[in-house]
Amino acid sequence: MGSLGEEPQVAEDCMGLLQLLSNGTVLRSKSIDLITQQIPLANHETVLFKDSVFHKPNNLHLRLYKPVTSSNRTIPVVVFFHGGGFCFGSRSWPHFHNFCLTLASSLHALVVAPDYRLAPEHRLPAAFEDAEAALTWLRDQAVSGDCDRWFEGGPSVDFDRVYVLGDSSGGNIAHHLAFRLGSGSVELTPVRVRGYVLLGPFFGGEERTKSEDGPSEQKLTLDLLDKFWRLSLPEGATRDHHMANPFGPTSPALESISIEKMLVIAGGSELLRDRGKEYAYKLKMRGKKVDYIEFENEEHGFYNHSPSSDASQQLLRIIGDFMDNVSDIF
């Protein structure tokens, strides 16, 4: 604690866009909005979208995306959780919005993109709680039939085919939901989660991996990842906390929990590559149905930054095949 009248000091600084002061004050720069606005919004005439409140007490919104089609076939649901190190991000950021438009169009699915409370104002497990609230909202919509009023006309939604897709910190959220809900997601009935896709999941640990010790990425450094953990984990927690490291020394055992099938995807040149690869391997060794796919030479979030690239298009095909194969099991 500083002396009376002493000016607070900057305790953490994320690129000048977010600062945590020594007295607990959080300063967020408005220039982050200027940066994101430089990314052009895609124009998908085949996808409709609208916003909705899903948690009034915390004023949390989500964005719904529905493909325009004359087909009468029901469409699945993809729940997308954005990235940002638990400290940044929103459904309205152009690169997340554009990716969701692409998901809806390419996968022919209703995409639900919830916001969640951000750290350090709201440290973990706030984001996990908000993610659960979003799925609870989806269940309530399915039960009440209010989903029929989301958009006029178009195909009906099949709540028996729901998939959770998480990008970076959203991938960590997807992990949490997979083990929180377990196989069958009974408490969400009639919503049934069939599978989880983790894109470059944001996990951590005190012991460095080989990829973390490698060169920095164009848009990501190890120092920034460490700052995200210090800002988002409960105060005083290390990167071995179970919310950062699913296999840390104090993390709960996962062997006894049955989960739905999972797909983990990482870029071959991203700092978090080995975290995702190790996560998939350890889950498979524990009897879980997990596939791991690596995109050679790609960095973290390549699908957001270069949505029209060959790698991004291949990613969409892989996700679509995963959804189809999981559905064929039932």
Side-chain angles (χ1 to χ4, degrees), residues 27-175:
L27 303 177
R28 289 184 179 270
S29 172
K30 292 184 178 180
S31 62
I32 188 68
D33 296 325
L34 298 177
I35 293 172
T36 58
Q37 287 170 8
Q38 294 174 6
I39 303 172
L41 283 171
N43 180 20
H44 271 260
E45 296 181 355
T46 60
V47 178
L48 303 174
F49 66 90
K50 64 182 294 186
D51 287 345
S52 181
V53 175
F54 74 90
H55 193 275
K56 288 184 179 179
N58 290 328
N59 193 32
L60 290 172
H61 294 70
L62 53 75
R63 185 163 289 178
L64 299 162
Y65 301 81
K66 191 174 186 180
V68 177
T69 176
S70 58
S71 172
N72 291 324
R73 295 181 60 185
T74 59
I75 59 174
V77 179
V78 172
V79 183
F80 173 78
F81 292 100
H82 68 74
F86 295 112
C87 298
F88 294 104
S90 166
R91 74 197 185 285
S92 62
W93 280 22
H95 58 295
F96 294 137
H97 173 74
N98 292 345
F99 186 55
C100 287
L101 286 170
T102 302
L103 287 173
S105 176
S106 300
L107 302 178
H108 196 63
L110 176 92
V111 175
V112 182
D115 280 345
Y116 49 86
R117 287 171 293 169
L118 300 175
E121 298 94 329
H122 305 282
R123 291 177 179 266
L124 295 173
F128 300 149
E129 294 167 353
D130 296 341
E132 291 181 32
L135 290 183
T136 299
W137 175 89
L138 188 65
R139 178 201 66 192
D140 293 344
Q141 294 289 303
V143 170
S144 67
D146 287 346
C147 55
D148 293 334
R149 294 193 291 272
W150 288 347
F151 299 95
E152 290 186 15
S156 298
V157 174
D158 185 357
F159 289 103
D160 193 56
R161 291 186 294 146
V162 176
Y163 306 86
V164 173
L165 194 158
D167 167 35
S168 192
S169 53
N172 188 314
I173 291 173
H175 154 78

Side-chain angles (χ1 to χ4, degrees), residues 180-316:
R180 166 67 180 82
L181 297 172
S183 180
S185 52
V186 177
E187 63 190 79
L188 294 179
T189 304
V191 167
R192 174 68 188 272
V193 179
R194 296 292 185 179
Y196 297 83
V197 180
L198 283 60
L199 301 174
F202 182 35
F203 295 125
E206 286 299 298
E207 184 178 348
R208 298 299 191 190
T209 66
K210 185 176 179 180
S211 62
E212 287 173 341
D213 283 333
S216 296
E217 301 179 47
Q218 184 178 355
K219 299 178 181 294
L220 198 61
T221 66
L222 186 59
D223 178 63
L224 183 58
L225 292 175
D226 288 348
K227 285 181 180 180
F228 284 154
W229 285 128
R230 290 195 297 270
L231 290 166
S232 62
L233 288 171
E235 291 191 46
T238 72
R239 296 189 302 272
D240 276 336
H241 191 283
H242 70 88
M243 288 186 280
N245 185 355
F247 305 103
T250 61
S251 299
L254 303 178
E255 287 85 350
S256 63
I257 304 176
S258 177
I259 64 170
E260 299 295 344
K261 191 170 182 181
M262 187 178 286
L263 174 63
V264 181
I265 295 174
S269 296
E270 67 171 293
L271 292 168
L272 291 170
R273 179 197 65 202
D274 291 348
R275 292 288 175 195
K277 189 173 184 178
E278 180 185 67
Y279 171 80
Y281 173 78
K282 288 186 174 180
L283 284 188
K284 186 166 284 190
M285 291 299 99
R286 287 161 171 78
K288 316 305 179 190
K289 295 179 180 178
V290 184
D291 290 328
Y292 173 78
I293 295 177
E294 190 172 298
F295 280 78
E296 186 178 1
N297 299 324
E298 296 295 340
E299 294 190 343
H300 190 65
F302 64 91
Y303 37 85
N304 284 319
H305 306 308
S306 303
S308 60
S309 69
D310 290 342
S312 297
Q313 295 304 307
Q314 184 183 358
L315 172 74
L316 292 169

